[in-house]
Amino acid sequence: MDRLDRSVYLRGVTDELTLTPAAERVLDVAGRLFYDNGIHAVGVESIASEAGVTKKTLYDRFGSKDALIACYLRRRDERWREHVVSVVEQRGRMTPARRLLLVFDALEEWIATENTRGCAFLNAQAELPDGTHPGREIIREQKLWMLDYLRALAREAGVRNPRKVATSLLVLLEGATVTAALGVVPGAVGNAKEVARQIVEG
């Protein structure tokens, strides 16, 4: 079976946001503050001040705090997808079944460097109860993308019932993310990967 076309799984995401330098500073600051402190705890005044711009500039570039939140989630989604695909492709000189399990390696690295307070998308979901908020659709798209990518890898690996396997692996990934953030189970991602290996090989 042919290897997955990397570009297919990044199409429409990478470089989607084209921003001015000032807007980039705002987005970088907002992303850090939103993730570290929570979306509702951070006001536009503190974001603008730390980014070295006026509130007017912030609103001129993004329109509203809700739009800025959506941009923050979209940019984080871009980085996550790039990271996952890069890990799978760069270390993918192995059997397709083992390549499928590399998503757990990608998650473990991401948690160590980017996800110290748990999944940014689940955190945001808890803070955005309004289903019409623009960030909610981005959160949903992020999870659906992961499921679709897992299905593609499972099909490439030739496993039986790739849809079911992908669903099981997504549940393991999400559970490991939450468990790792809580510190309840040491080596949560490694444990999830071992269960995933049994599913894939079975």
Side-chain angles (χ1 to χ4, degrees), residues 13-189:
V13 176
T14 305
D15 299 327
E16 181 174 322
L17 299 176
T18 302
L19 302 173
T20 65
E24 285 285 359
R25 289 200 308 276
V26 169
L27 186 55
D28 287 344
V29 169
R32 176 168 49 79
L33 294 179
F34 285 153
Y35 184 73
D36 290 346
N37 302 292
I39 288 171
H40 292 320
V42 178
V44 293
E45 296 88 350
S46 58
I47 295 171
S49 176
E50 190 160 336
V53 302
T54 64
K55 282 175 59 179
K56 181 180 185 304
T57 296
L58 186 152
Y59 283 119
D60 284 346
R61 299 297 184 270
F62 295 96
S64 66
K65 182 180 177 181
D66 285 345
L68 178 57
I69 293 167
C71 286
Y72 148 65
L73 292 169
R74 178 64 74 195
R75 177 59 58 85
R76 193 171 179 92
D77 183 24
E78 289 178 354
R79 290 171 47 226
W80 165 247
R81 296 188 196 195
E82 283 277 6
H83 173 71
V84 172
V85 174
S86 293
V87 169
V88 171
E89 293 302 317
Q90 290 173 8
R91 303 176 195 173
R93 295 181 180 179
M94 52 183 65
T95 65
R98 291 189 178 275
R99 287 183 74 236
L100 175 55
L101 298 178
L102 286 175
V103 294
F104 290 88
D105 294 3
L107 174 61
E108 193 160 40
E109 292 179 12
W110 184 262
I111 287 174
T113 60
E114 305 284 347
N115 242 42
T116 54
R117 291 191 62 255
C119 176
F121 302 98
L122 294 181
N123 294 349
Q125 176 88 358
E127 289 201 73
L128 303 175
D130 182 358
T132 64
H133 190 286
R136 288 287 293 269
E137 182 59 26
I138 295 169
I139 295 167
R140 181 174 180 274
E141 288 174 5
Q142 191 269 334
K143 301 305 179 185
L144 288 174
W145 175 85
M146 192 72 244
L147 180 60
D148 185 57
Y149 188 53
L150 288 167
R151 285 173 181 164
L153 289 171
R155 286 193 297 269
E156 182 188 58
V159 302
R160 289 192 304 174
N161 201 338
R163 294 180 67 87
K164 183 177 180 179
V165 168
T167 299
S168 296
L169 265 55
L170 180 63
V171 171
L172 286 169
L173 285 165
E174 294 295 323
T177 302
V178 173
T179 307
L182 294 173
V184 175
V185 178
V189 179

